[in-house]
Amino acid sequence: LFLKITVLFIVVIGSKDIDENDKKMIQTLAKGIKKAGYVLISGGQTGVDNYAEQSMLDVGGDVVSIISNSLINRIRNRETREELIKGTLLLVSPYGYNELVSVSNLLMRNFVLLELSTKTIVPKMKANDDVYYPLFTKNGTDIQRKVIAIESIAKKSAMNDIIDKFTLPSV
């Protein structure tokens, strides 16, 4: 007898700079992801990534954090250890115990995130967030079809420019 388990992953990544409106949107996303029965995957960095992780954990959801540096620094945090013990958080890093964040690590992490995802939601990205651009450069690829960007209500925003430039599906 074989048991097949399907786990659906939603990746939420984006800018390091977020404001109160972004936080409200991310909290709403986390609730929806949890209600739909998905697991949230995060890039484990400051900003959208960490806030999405924490929002998902706050609503009782499960999180996989693919980090681009050492696990040791994350495990030193008491709240992180508690979530690991509860089984609601899984930390993954292919890097050594004393590895520092680098652009190449971030780029590789992004490709891993997208390969694991069912859908990738980018709530906010700044025009100079170069680490995400390679994700969107090949129109029509499987990776690009997985990405959903969230448009800003503002007429002129970096996120809207990115949506237009790479013809990303958006909400």
Side-chain angles (χ1 to χ4, degrees):
L1 178 69
F2 291 96
L3 177 64
K4 181 179 178 183
I5 298 175
T6 302
V7 179
L8 302 172
F9 296 107
I10 299 291
V11 170
V12 179
I13 56 174
S15 182
K16 289 184 179 184
D17 300 322
I18 59 174
D19 59 27
E20 289 306 311
N21 288 333
D22 300 325
K23 289 179 179 181
K24 288 177 187 172
M25 176 184 39
I26 292 167
Q27 289 169 347
T28 302
L29 278 172
K31 289 175 187 172
I33 292 167
K34 164 74 168 122
K35 185 175 180 180
Y38 286 80
V39 173
L40 182 135
I41 299 183
S42 161
Q45 291 295 310
T46 306
V48 168
D49 298 16
N50 276 344
Y51 199 78
E53 276 184 31
Q54 191 55 56
S55 296
M56 188 66 169
L57 293 169
D58 289 347
V59 297
D62 295 320
V63 174
V64 176
S65 184
I66 312 286
I67 61 176
S68 53
N69 58 353
S70 166
L71 291 170
I72 289 177
N73 290 335
R74 284 290 301 272
I75 294 172
R76 286 184 176 142
N77 178 289
R78 182 179 57 80
E79 289 85 11
T80 299
R81 288 192 310 274
E82 288 173 359
E83 295 295 344
L84 289 167
I85 290 167
K86 282 195 298 189
T88 55
L89 174 64
L90 172 65
L91 297 177
V92 178
S93 176
Y95 303 106
Y97 71 92
N98 60 351
E99 186 81 22
L100 300 175
V101 175
S102 70
V103 172
S104 64
N105 289 7
L106 290 168
L107 289 170
M108 183 55 68
R109 178 222 45 201
N110 289 344
F111 286 109
V112 170
L113 288 168
L114 281 171
E115 286 300 323
L116 291 173
S117 76
T118 304
K119 285 289 181 191
T120 296
I121 301 173
V122 184
K124 183 176 187 177
M125 187 174 15
K126 295 187 323 183
N128 62 350
D129 282 342
D130 295 339
V131 78
Y132 296 110
Y133 275 23
L135 302 179
F136 311 129
T137 54
K138 295 181 181 170
N139 284 333
T141 64
D142 286 340
I143 285 178
Q144 195 177 45
R145 281 193 287 272
K146 289 183 175 185
V147 175
I148 299 172
I150 297 180
E151 291 184 78
S152 169
I153 332 175
K155 294 278 185 208
K156 181 71 178 152
S157 78
M159 196 70 221
N160 291 353
D161 290 345
I162 290 164
I163 291 166
D164 291 343
K165 181 177 180 179
F166 298 111
T167 59
L168 296 176
S170 61
V171 293

